[in-house]
Amino acid sequence: MKRALACLLTSAILGAAGASLAADATPMAEDPAVEARLVVISEELRCLVCQNESLAASRAELAEDLRREVRKLIRDGKSDPEIRDYLVARYGDFVLYRPPVKPTTWLLWFGPFVLLVSALVGLIAYLRRRSAGLTPSALTAADKAAAEALLADPGADNPPKHNA
Amino acid sequence: MKRFLIPLAVFLVLVVFLAVGLKRDPREVPSPLVGKPAPEFRLDTLATPGKQFSPADMRGQVWLLNVWASWCVSCRAEHPLLVAFAKQGGLPIVGLNYKELRGDGEIDMKKVPAGEEPALVRQRAGAWLARHGDPYALSVLDMDGRVGIDYGVYGVPETYLIDKKGIIRFKQIGPITPEALEQKILPLARQLAGEAS
């Protein structure tokens, strides 16, 4: 009883707002299986109009047309790859959020790894060079003699500060 | 000195990449249809109800297929160029009137009685051409945008240059600019006109 009342109340509220909402609502397909597949497929596809939205999320008009088209293809019994190919044939690889690996997309797929590896190689080379520079170099005989002379005669040209 | 050269070189390469990236229009998606046969269709013409047109009718000619609609603001911007170009009589232009009613966000299609769409489309599109000039050899009506999908249309206006064999050779996305016409479309059209059909 309580639930029925809640339902009634909700539908009354929705009914009041419905006039404006109805115009925007896209017609739901009767078949939930088709809708489920539509969502799976179209989430992997890019909307051409608002390019950072998926075909599933976009409210652009073209996206609606394309969803309608995909629904039709699903009902025609087309497989997911066939539907993707259908859209790629018309709009290019750009519609795919996961572009195929082929020579023109190699840079896209492997570029970041190439960058990472070359940065690592550069870093290692730099660190090696730096640590090589830090190892104490052996003193020449002349250096050693000069150092010993200085140690033996502290007052000569470098008087200690606290000798008073 | 040398230790500054490497970061400087890396920075310059980055600047070049970013500069090129900034100049490119992200809305221009290369069409996979260039080099492929123009998709076949059969649609009613704007001028005569019942009379149909198909790209096959243009076999043996180099022609332009221009996608337009009266609600499309950029189409109006491009239109004077098309009208002037048509007057020179270089290439036949076929208009694909794309979703004249359904594409107009201000029209509630639920209020358009079934069966009246073609008449309303003809009235609106015809009035627009009467006002702004008609550069088209003929226009066809793609009321639901189905043909537009086959041609990969995603932002009107778009223009296809089609050769004598019916192969799409060039696609202009967005309005045709005088530069695009002079530097790309016309030279290519001249070259295509010399090819055997």
Side-chain angles (χ1 to χ4, degrees):
Chain A
M1 184 60 212
K2 218 171 171 186
R3 193 192 258 180
L5 206 73
C7 262
L8 209 70
L9 201 69
T10 329
S11 54
I13 294 166
L14 282 180
S20 58
L21 279 176
D24 292 342
T26 46
M28 275 296 281
E30 314 78 52
D31 192 348
V34 170
E35 287 309 292
R37 264 189 72 197
L38 171 69
V39 169
V40 171
I41 296 169
S42 58
E43 267 176 350
E44 287 282 319
L45 297 171
R46 186 196 305 269
C47 169
L48 271 292
V49 181
C50 359
Q51 296 182 345
N52 290 324
E53 273 191 300
S54 75
L55 201 55
S58 177
R59 291 177 55 87
E61 217 180 303
L62 179 67
E64 246 158 62
D65 286 359
L66 289 178
R67 283 197 295 267
R68 188 188 64 207
E69 213 52 37
V70 171
R71 265 192 206 109
K72 197 174 135 263
L73 292 171
I74 293 172
R75 284 206 204 93
D76 289 352
K78 294 277 191 292
S79 71
D80 291 8
E82 277 172 331
I83 294 172
R84 270 194 290 275
D85 289 348
Y86 172 91
L87 286 162
V88 168
R90 283 157 181 76
Y91 294 98
D93 289 334
F94 189 74
V95 294
L96 302 173
Y97 270 124
R98 286 178 220 267
V101 182
K102 56 185 193 184
T104 49
T105 58
W106 280 355
L107 189 64
L108 181 70
W109 276 101
F110 306 120
F113 299 108
V114 171
L115 211 60
L116 180 71
V117 168
S118 51
L120 277 178
V121 168
L123 181 68
I124 289 167
Y126 171 73
L127 288 178
R128 280 221 178 124
R129 209 160 3 126
R130 200 178 65 158
S131 59
L134 285 180
T135 49
S137 51
L139 291 176
T140 62
D143 287 341
K144 209 174 173 186
E148 266 164 10
L150 284 171
L151 287 170
D153 184 13
D157 47 0
N158 196 11
K161 277 175 187 159
H162 311 289
N163 61 343
Chain B
M1 189 56 208
K2 198 178 146 224
R3 50 191 296 217
F4 294 115
L5 279 180
I6 293 169
L8 189 68
V10 169
F11 175 71
L12 285 179
V13 168
L14 195 67
V15 165
V16 168
F17 267 90
L18 292 178
V20 171
L22 271 177
K23 292 258 168 152
R24 291 182 61 171
D25 183 356
R27 299 196 51 85
E28 265 189 39
V29 180
S31 173
L33 285 164
V34 173
K36 301 233 171 70
E40 204 43 59
F41 62 81
R42 192 149 266 291
L43 288 175
D44 275 6
T45 59
L46 170 63
T48 326
K51 193 186 164 215
Q52 292 195 314
F53 167 85
S54 154
D57 301 346
M58 300 300 281
R59 212 45 66 83
Q61 290 189 71
V62 181
W63 58 294
L64 290 173
L65 180 71
N66 175 249
V67 186
W68 68 283
S70 73
W71 45 259
C72 154
V73 179
S74 310
C75 298
R76 201 176 311 165
E78 152 188 270
H79 209 67
L81 186 76
L82 286 180
V83 173
F85 179 65
K87 277 206 184 107
Q88 294 166 18
L91 290 174
I93 311 173
V94 172
L96 181 76
N97 179 268
Y98 176 74
K99 296 178 75 177
E100 176 63 39
L101 283 190
R102 299 186 199 190
D104 188 335
E106 283 167 18
I107 290 183
D108 184 359
M109 285 309 291
K110 290 193 189 70
K111 289 184 185 144
V112 176
E116 280 188 25
E117 192 183 358
L120 216 54
V121 164
R122 283 203 168 83
Q123 185 197 323
R124 272 173 51 122
W128 194 81
L129 288 182
R131 177 146 28 107
H132 299 285
D134 185 355
Y136 303 115
L138 60 100
S139 272
V140 292
L141 305 178
D142 181 22
M143 291 187 284
D144 58 3
R146 261 310 282 110
V147 170
I149 291 178
D150 280 345
Y151 275 80
V153 171
Y154 63 92
V156 219
E158 293 185 15
T159 307
Y160 301 81
L161 177 63
I162 299 168
D163 73 7
K164 291 179 178 174
K165 294 195 186 84
I167 312 277
I168 295 175
R169 301 300 288 262
F170 178 77
K171 180 184 179 186
Q172 171 77 22
I173 295 159
I176 299 178
T177 57
E179 297 81 54
L181 189 65
E182 290 297 327
Q183 288 162 21
K184 286 183 190 155
I185 296 174
L186 280 179
L188 186 55
R190 264 183 230 118
Q191 179 204 323
L192 294 178
E195 287 180 2
S197 54

